[in-house]
Each structure stands twice: as C-alpha cells, then as structure tokens.
Amino acid sequence: MFRKYHEYNRKDETMNEETKTALQTLNKILGEEALLMHAAGNVQFDMETLCPSKGMEEAGEVISYLTNQIFKLRKKPEFIQAAEILYSRRDELDEFDRTLAESLHRDWLMTRNISPEQDLEFSRVLNKGYADWIAAREKCDYASFAPSLFAIRDAEVRKIELMDERKPLLYDNLLDRYERGMTVEKLDEVFGKIKDRLIPLLRKITAAKKEVRTDFLFRPVSDAAQEEMARYLLELIGFDFQRGALSTTEHPFTDSMGPDDERVTTHYRGNLSSSMYSIIHEGGHGLFDQNQPRENWQHHITGEKTMGQHESVSRFYENVIGRSESFIRHIFPKAREIFPEALRDVSWREFYEAVNLVEPSLIRTEADEFTYTFHVIIRYELEKALIAGEVTAEELPAMWSEKYKAYLGVAPANDNEGILQDVHWASGLMGYFPAYALGNMYNAMYCSRMKEDFDVDAAIASGDLLKIKDWMTAHVFAKADRLAPTDWIREICGREFTPDDYLSYLEEKYSGIYGI
C-alpha cells in the first residue's frame, strides 16, 4: 500500500537506541493507521459522491468503526510511550521527524482524556449530523437539523473541556485546531480592518453606474461540456491526472488518499462559470497535495498543513489567477470552443467583467471575490456565539438573516439559502471558516513576493501556469507542513502577516473594473 516507506534517510547517526526504537514503534503503528485512514477515506469519498441516501447511515457506521480503530491505535501504551520519548528527544531528529513528534504531542494533549467509547460516540454524532443535514437540505427545513447541530456543538465543547491544557476562551481552542496560533483577539482586529476598508468601497461599487452583462452565464450548457472545461482547466494549472481523479458531488471538496491518489470534485449547475471556479478552487487544493515534499508521506506529516495555508492556495488559483484579466484572455478561445452557443455573442472583456461582478448574494460558495470575506465574517461571528452558548437553536436563523442584511443588504428567503447551505457544521468543522479569509490574505502576500521574481501576468497570459506551479512548489508548498502559519508566511515573504496586501489588491482591482 501507499505508505509502506522505510528506505529514507534520517539522522540515525545522532540518535541513541531509545530514540531509534521509539521511532520504529511509531512508524509501525502509524503505518497501520495509514491503511485504516485510506479505507475510511474511500468510504467517505463514496458517501459524498455516489452513495444512495438510504445507504448513508450504514456508510457512516463503517466510517465510525474505522476511525475508532484509528483512535484505539493511538491509545496503545506503546504508542503513547514512544511518542513521549520522541517528543522529549526531538532535538535529535531531522525536521520531518521533529514535526511528527511535535504533532503527536499536540494531538495527545487534545485527546488523552477521551476514551475510545467517547470517541466512537462523538463520531456517531457527526455521522448522524451529516445524514440529517442532507435530509434537511432536501426538505429545506433547518428545524429538522437543529437538534443534530446542537449535539455537534455540545460534542465539540465537551472535547475542549476534556483537554488538560486549553485556552480560556472556548472558541480559541477551535481556531487553534485549524490555524495554529490564531485567536479571537487577532481575528477581531483583522476583520475589523476589512470591514473598515471594504464596506465603504462596497457601497461605492453598488452605487456605480457600471453595467455588467451576465445573461450568457445562465444559458444552458451540458454536463459533458462542463466536464470537458473542468478537465481542461485542471490540466492547464498543472493537475496530474495520472495521480489524480475528478468526480462530482453536492458540495465540492478535495481528498488526498495518498501521494499518487488525489481526488477532486465539482458540481455542474445552471451557471457555466460556477463549475469552472469550483474546479479551479479544488484544483488548487489538489496541486498543493500533489506537489508537497514526498517526505511528508514518508514521515506521516502530510496532514500538518493548516486550513488557512491550504485555502490560500485554492483561492489563489480560483481568484488571483482564475479571475485575472490575463487568465480570461488566455482561456476564452477554449471556452468559446466548448460552450459555442452560450458564448456565441460574448467578448473576452464581457466574460472577464461577468466573473468579477460584485453583487451581494446569499450563497458563500457562489459569492464574488469581493464580498466573499463578509460571508466568512458572518459565520465567524455566529460560531463565536454558538460555541459560547449565547444563541439558541431557534434564534440562530434569525441572527444569520440579520447579519446578512447588515453586511450585504440581502436576506435568505429559505433555509437552504441561509443556515443550511454549508456542510461544515454538519461535519464538526466549527472554527474552520476563518481559514478561508486568512487564505485570501496569505495568498495576496505571497503573490506580491512572486511578482518580485518574474512577470506573473505575462506567464498567465502565455498559458505558462507550470512556471507558477514550480514557484509555488519551491516557496509555498515546500515547508507548509513543518512551519506554523506565521513562520511560514514570514519565510516566504520576509515580513510579518498583514491583511494590507489583500485589501490593496481588492481596492485596486475593483476600483479599476468599476471606474471609481
């Protein structure tokens, strides 16, 4: 199987026998874990792509069983002892194994007081929550999902309360799970800057006289044509189909099964640009996984990337590249070839303006680049209240609507346009949403750095996206698993994290498009 690696170099010459033995023990057990994870990943992928609705519960039970077996592996006394030895002797290790030791120590602090029985129950809560969310979406009925949502919330809070070492603010523990070092205090400051600078600009944009044509985006296009476009775009950005696959799902996602098995998914809907940008986004995730150091798999640290790091890449390809003038000019002839009727009377400039239309809307995944971060801020503010116990199940939809009205001037007409639109809460990913916004800020910073090395627009215009992928591989992907986000972005850019690059990018781009 894909993770049976033993022939790689380590700092064996500097290790004592106890450290070597501990490392061998960990690698044996982590190898077993990898096989179980692969199996669980395949069932999860099936569950989210083609599993029939009546098969969801059984698939969920299979996943619960496999993940519980994984949990039990890490509760073995020999595993715990070996991990503690490795952490205590981490200075003897190379940077890959040191990362592993530190990761195992963090995981141990989070899970040491959770029994296998509790873990199985938490897993069942999540699997039921996902199935209930699917059913609620079909009925457009939040009330039928609310009990599961609050059961998930209670399970996440219980996990935090079981930790020996935890941050005083409950939500800070969730943030740290997905973006190490991030806190409510830091996010409140960053999001405050975004609101201060972008809300006034949004008002100017919505008041502008600029008319953007979008009718052609909604002309009928076949699923086959959308799939052809998806494959073209993935190949253009450098996705390796010999090591990856494409499928469809309700809510697009990317799964990395192994170094040579990357799964990306998309959806085909009425808007021809929707699937285009869905697949460019997921393709960005795929590139990150396919082009990370192979040693990450060998040393069991491929999962150490934070969500903000990962989202920075997917949103870089989706927006900074995918919605750029240079990219649209390059792909437009191919788009007209694939969608001849839909684009028969459309110019590249009209297409460019259409995919960069700023229009406050209700659905996060369909949101324009400019307003997207407000969708994240709304969810962040709701999650804070949810985890703090400051909102009831009945109050949550109304709070959702109030914030949409306040920030974007729109309100949902039904639950699917509102609180049921995202799978994240049903999957227990509370604390994840801020990563999307942080990703936008990270990629604005490293794009500025990339432009110091070569003419990025010229590379895009010529279709040389491999040049960009190679730069990303060397600078962005190389150490993402081994560095905390603040250290990672500092090493790439030579300066501290700031939202300023992102804000300046949006201000310059959209002031130009709207002539303000």
PDB file of all heavy atoms in Angstrom, residues 263-275:
ATOM      1  N   ARG A 263      -8.075  13.158  -5.114  1.00  0.00           N
ATOM      2  CA  ARG A 263      -9.440  13.195  -5.630  1.00  0.00           C
ATOM      3  C   ARG A 263      -9.986  14.620  -5.542  1.00  0.00           C
ATOM      4  O   ARG A 263     -10.056  15.187  -4.447  1.00  0.00           O
ATOM      5  CB  ARG A 263     -10.350  12.271  -4.817  1.00  0.00           C
ATOM      6  CG  ARG A 263      -9.779  10.871  -4.537  1.00  0.00           C
ATOM      7  CD  ARG A 263      -9.941   9.929  -5.692  1.00  0.00           C
ATOM      8  NE  ARG A 263      -9.424   8.599  -5.363  1.00  0.00           N
ATOM      9  CZ  ARG A 263     -10.154   7.636  -4.799  1.00  0.00           C
ATOM     10  NH1 ARG A 263     -11.422   7.843  -4.493  1.00  0.00           N
ATOM     11  NH2 ARG A 263      -9.602   6.449  -4.550  1.00  0.00           N
ATOM     12  N   VAL A 264     -10.387  15.189  -6.669  1.00  0.00           N
ATOM     13  CA  VAL A 264     -11.052  16.490  -6.662  1.00  0.00           C
ATOM     14  C   VAL A 264     -12.479  16.302  -7.162  1.00  0.00           C
ATOM     15  O   VAL A 264     -12.757  15.434  -7.991  1.00  0.00           O
ATOM     16  CB  VAL A 264     -10.318  17.542  -7.527  1.00  0.00           C
ATOM     17  CG1 VAL A 264      -8.936  17.826  -6.983  1.00  0.00           C
ATOM     18  CG2 VAL A 264     -10.233  17.093  -8.987  1.00  0.00           C
ATOM     19  N   THR A 265     -13.386  17.100  -6.632  1.00  0.00           N
ATOM     20  CA  THR A 265     -14.783  17.006  -7.037  1.00  0.00           C
ATOM     21  C   THR A 265     -15.307  18.388  -7.402  1.00  0.00           C
ATOM     22  O   THR A 265     -14.768  19.408  -6.983  1.00  0.00           O
ATOM     23  CB  THR A 265     -15.663  16.432  -5.908  1.00  0.00           C
ATOM     24  OG1 THR A 265     -15.702  17.367  -4.814  1.00  0.00           O
ATOM     25  CG2 THR A 265     -15.130  15.102  -5.414  1.00  0.00           C
ATOM     26  N   THR A 266     -16.382  18.395  -8.188  1.00  0.00           N
ATOM     27  CA  THR A 266     -17.043  19.645  -8.559  1.00  0.00           C
ATOM     28  C   THR A 266     -18.524  19.367  -8.708  1.00  0.00           C
ATOM     29  O   THR A 266     -19.003  18.256  -8.413  1.00  0.00           O
ATOM     30  CB  THR A 266     -16.447  20.221  -9.859  1.00  0.00           C
ATOM     31  OG1 THR A 266     -16.997  21.530 -10.083  1.00  0.00           O
ATOM     32  CG2 THR A 266     -16.737  19.341 -11.057  1.00  0.00           C
ATOM     33  N   HIS A 267     -19.289  20.378  -9.134  1.00  0.00           N
ATOM     34  CA  HIS A 267     -20.703  20.194  -9.431  1.00  0.00           C
ATOM     35  C   HIS A 267     -21.012  20.876 -10.754  1.00  0.00           C
ATOM     36  O   HIS A 267     -20.303  21.779 -11.174  1.00  0.00           O
ATOM     37  CB  HIS A 267     -21.587  20.769  -8.316  1.00  0.00           C
ATOM     38  CG  HIS A 267     -21.291  22.214  -8.006  1.00  0.00           C
ATOM     39  ND1 HIS A 267     -21.260  22.718  -6.716  1.00  0.00           N
ATOM     40  CD2 HIS A 267     -21.008  23.278  -8.801  1.00  0.00           C
ATOM     41  CE1 HIS A 267     -20.979  24.016  -6.762  1.00  0.00           C
ATOM     42  NE2 HIS A 267     -20.824  24.366  -8.001  1.00  0.00           N
ATOM     43  N   TYR A 268     -22.054  20.441 -11.404  1.00  0.00           N
ATOM     44  CA  TYR A 268     -22.467  21.024 -12.671  1.00  0.00           C
ATOM     45  C   TYR A 268     -23.879  21.588 -12.497  1.00  0.00           C
ATOM     46  O   TYR A 268     -24.835  20.843 -12.275  1.00  0.00           O
ATOM     47  CB  TYR A 268     -22.440  19.975 -13.790  1.00  0.00           C
ATOM     48  CG  TYR A 268     -21.089  19.329 -13.961  1.00  0.00           C
ATOM     49  CD1 TYR A 268     -20.946  17.951 -14.066  1.00  0.00           C
ATOM     50  CD2 TYR A 268     -19.929  20.108 -13.984  1.00  0.00           C
ATOM     51  CE1 TYR A 268     -19.704  17.361 -14.207  1.00  0.00           C
ATOM     52  CE2 TYR A 268     -18.679  19.522 -14.118  1.00  0.00           C
ATOM     53  CZ  TYR A 268     -18.573  18.155 -14.230  1.00  0.00           C
ATOM     54  OH  TYR A 268     -17.327  17.566 -14.361  1.00  0.00           O
ATOM     55  N   ARG A 269     -23.961  22.922 -12.553  1.00  0.00           N
ATOM     56  CA  ARG A 269     -25.230  23.601 -12.324  1.00  0.00           C
ATOM     57  C   ARG A 269     -25.532  24.543 -13.469  1.00  0.00           C
ATOM     58  O   ARG A 269     -24.866  24.557 -14.493  1.00  0.00           O
ATOM     59  CB  ARG A 269     -25.187  24.338 -10.984  1.00  0.00           C
ATOM     60  CG  ARG A 269     -25.061  23.357  -9.809  1.00  0.00           C
ATOM     61  CD  ARG A 269     -25.015  24.017  -8.466  1.00  0.00           C
ATOM     62  NE  ARG A 269     -24.879  22.978  -7.421  1.00  0.00           N
ATOM     63  CZ  ARG A 269     -24.456  23.202  -6.202  1.00  0.00           C
ATOM     64  NH1 ARG A 269     -24.103  24.414  -5.836  1.00  0.00           N
ATOM     65  NH2 ARG A 269     -24.376  22.225  -5.324  1.00  0.00           N
ATOM     66  N   GLY A 270     -26.558  25.369 -13.296  1.00  0.00           N
ATOM     67  CA  GLY A 270     -27.017  26.222 -14.377  1.00  0.00           C
ATOM     68  C   GLY A 270     -26.045  27.288 -14.819  1.00  0.00           C
ATOM     69  O   GLY A 270     -26.014  27.661 -15.989  1.00  0.00           O
ATOM     70  N   ASN A 271     -25.225  27.779 -13.921  1.00  0.00           N
ATOM     71  CA  ASN A 271     -24.280  28.847 -14.231  1.00  0.00           C
ATOM     72  C   ASN A 271     -22.983  28.236 -14.753  1.00  0.00           C
ATOM     73  O   ASN A 271     -22.299  27.510 -14.036  1.00  0.00           O
ATOM     74  CB  ASN A 271     -24.025  29.673 -12.975  1.00  0.00           C
ATOM     75  CG  ASN A 271     -23.148  30.883 -13.219  1.00  0.00           C
ATOM     76  OD1 ASN A 271     -22.214  30.831 -14.013  1.00  0.00           O
ATOM     77  ND2 ASN A 271     -23.442  31.965 -12.532  1.00  0.00           N
ATOM     78  N   LEU A 272     -22.621  28.523 -16.000  1.00  0.00           N
ATOM     79  CA  LEU A 272     -21.453  27.848 -16.600  1.00  0.00           C
ATOM     80  C   LEU A 272     -20.151  28.189 -15.887  1.00  0.00           C
ATOM     81  O   LEU A 272     -19.204  27.415 -15.896  1.00  0.00           O
ATOM     82  CB  LEU A 272     -21.361  28.131 -18.090  1.00  0.00           C
ATOM     83  CG  LEU A 272     -20.941  29.502 -18.623  1.00  0.00           C
ATOM     84  CD1 LEU A 272     -19.425  29.645 -18.677  1.00  0.00           C
ATOM     85  CD2 LEU A 272     -21.510  29.715 -20.017  1.00  0.00           C
ATOM     86  N   SER A 273     -20.090  29.383 -15.256  1.00  0.00           N
ATOM     87  CA  SER A 273     -18.858  29.747 -14.556  1.00  0.00           C
ATOM     88  C   SER A 273     -18.767  29.093 -13.179  1.00  0.00           C
ATOM     89  O   SER A 273     -17.686  29.001 -12.603  1.00  0.00           O
ATOM     90  CB  SER A 273     -18.742  31.263 -14.408  1.00  0.00           C
ATOM     91  OG  SER A 273     -19.732  31.766 -13.530  1.00  0.00           O
ATOM     92  N   SER A 274     -19.895  28.621 -12.657  1.00  0.00           N
ATOM     93  CA  SER A 274     -19.895  28.032 -11.318  1.00  0.00           C
ATOM     94  C   SER A 274     -18.982  26.811 -11.248  1.00  0.00           C
ATOM     95  O   SER A 274     -18.128  26.711 -10.363  1.00  0.00           O
ATOM     96  CB  SER A 274     -21.319  27.648 -10.914  1.00  0.00           C
ATOM     97  OG  SER A 274     -21.327  26.979  -9.672  1.00  0.00           O
ATOM     98  N   SER A 275     -19.158  25.883 -12.178  1.00  0.00           N
ATOM     99  CA  SER A 275     -18.311  24.688 -12.152  1.00  0.00           C
ATOM    100  C   SER A 275     -16.867  25.029 -12.499  1.00  0.00           C
ATOM    101  O   SER A 275     -15.933  24.401 -11.996  1.00  0.00           O
ATOM    102  CB  SER A 275     -18.842  23.626 -13.110  1.00  0.00           C
ATOM    103  OG  SER A 275     -18.803  24.066 -14.447  1.00  0.00           O
TER     104      SER A 275
END
